[in-house]
Amino acid sequence: MHTFSVWAPDASEVALVLDERLAMAKAADGWWSLEVADAGHGTDYAFSVDGSDPMPDPRSAWQPDGVHGPSRVFDASRFGWSDSNWRGQEVRGAVFYELHLGTFTPEGTLEAAAGHLDYLVALGVQVVSLLPVAAFPGKHGWGYDGVDLYAVHAPYGGPEALQRFVDQCHAVGLAVCLDVVYNHLGPSGNYLGSFGPYFTSKHTTPWGPAVNLDDTGSLEVRRWICDNALRWFRDFHIDALRLDAVHALQDDSPQHLLAQLSDETAALSAELGRPLGLVAESDLNDPAMVTPVADGGMGMTAQWSDDYHHALHTLLTGERAGYYEDFAQPGVFEKVLTQVFLHDGSYSSFRGKDWGRPVDPAAHRGSEFLAYTSNHDQVGNRALGDRPALSPGQLAIGAALVITSPYTPMLFMGEEWGASTPWRFFTDHEEPELAEAVRNGRRSEFAAFGWDADEIPDPQDPETWRSSVLDWTEVDQSPHRELLAWYRDLLALRARNDDLRDDRLGSVAVTSGEGWLVVARGALRVVANLSGDEQVVPVDGRPSYEVMVFGTSEPIAQGIRLSGHSVAIYAV
């Protein structure tokens, strides 16, 4: 026995498509339903609206034949969970590890990724942060063009595989954060508009009409989003959600969608008896994002901080093009390390306006902001998808400045061993016109920066995806294994040292000079030689002993003598 239901408020008739078309009954709220005695888990079905071709369920949990195929009933309660002793993970201050299932392993599946959980535990990770798993067109893609937001991409293994993966993570003490995209849907397989007013022309976005959060019919659209989020927590035991580009959620309602989701997540957290996190990607540089709803904010648990990435990237690479220009000015890294945002009401040259608001250290902790040397965007959105071209020593410096910061640290898969593989933009669209549009769009985007079209990897070429798959043989090779050991030791030091886990913004101080930097964290000093030549770095207080070093260091009367591109941590 199974009851099929779908929201189609303006339809004259809706049919359930099984082996035949069965008329459904409409309720006053625009929902149509039909109970079928011999249907249940594993039954394939679709809906027809006003005589249309069969279309997938907007709330489909299972799309085994892709985004254009029929939906399949999935009974989430069938799975036998073994995580009853899991008490959850507070994500603020935890160590995140961002990974893309399709390129984390050659197999590109949840099952294959689970084979590396012991590696992640040994590394010191606490939260596995998955890029989107919602069903998207084709086999290979980033996942940000998903169209069946309730389904788990079939090539990854489908919904039960995600349940099993989360269960396995919890068994070894790892939490799971899932990336979800509510600001737009992909262009292929998006049938929502045929069912109801899921989109509105009241607002526009870079992807076209906005998701309808405040126009006619928005109550059910908001419910569609919030129910989706709560379902990941309840039926899949997910611990946190990463909300993509929330600045593109255009909502003039009395209560913003994010605040509604925050309230509902808090209620479910109390019901389940474990912490549930909401981590926002926001371009607004506004601490209201992580201010409690009761205090007039959006109530997010934490948010990404691209300003920290940009300042650190510029410091290490010397890159100055595009939005990095603002971050090349003196004192920028010192500011973002202690005050979160560079643009906190100041002029942003790449936006052409004043931007952001300051973070009050009395009201906010550093752990409310995620810091990183790289992430999927900052690598994949480069023309060639190339990781930072830095020496092992420079990579070690970047790791130290993230992991010892007062912020919540996040690693991007492979960075811990200095992976040589790029992470490129790749797609797998079946429609020739769409494939060509994506290909030309990518080339046009970078032509403005002087790139020739034939230099840009073709997103549709399978080799573009294949080249982005991590090469796990590197972890046993030099210099990769030495950098991996540094990451492990850094994360172990952070785990056992209270000073490094102190997330008060006032708990960190920084001094710098020509080619060097010293960060004070309680009784520890992170001493970095940013230049390629040996130099002596002055350190306040008298260092008592070396805790760890990447490169060579020697305490002398004038400070710490460091080899080029090296970093040491000393106790004072």
Side-chain angles (χ1 to χ4, degrees), residues 24 77 85 91 104 114 129 147 197 203 207 227 240 346 506 512 514 548 551 565:
M24 303 180 73
S77 67
N85 292 326
V91 297
F104 185 59
S129 190
V147 290
H203 306 288
W207 308 282
D227 287 350
S346 61
S512 62
E514 185 64 34
M548 56 190 296
H565 289 163

Side-chain angles (χ1 to χ4, degrees), residues 108-191:
T109 64
L110 285 152
E111 181 181 9
H116 293 275
L117 295 184
D118 288 342
Y119 163 87
L120 295 178
V121 172
L123 177 59
V125 168
Q126 294 169 286
V127 181
V128 178
S129 190
L130 300 176
L131 266 64
V133 302
F136 58 84
K139 182 177 182 180
H140 305 299
W142 284 17
Y144 292 92
D145 53 356
V147 290
D148 291 305
L149 303 195
Y150 281 66
V152 176
H153 193 50
Y156 291 163
E160 186 174 336
L162 179 60
Q163 290 179 312
R164 188 178 304 109
F165 178 83
V166 175
D167 199 46
Q168 290 171 300
C169 283
H170 290 171
V172 296
L174 294 171
V176 180
C177 177
L178 180 63
D179 200 331
V180 290
V181 183
Y182 297 136
N183 52 51
H184 77 287
L185 275 78
S188 178
N190 177 8
Y191 296 96

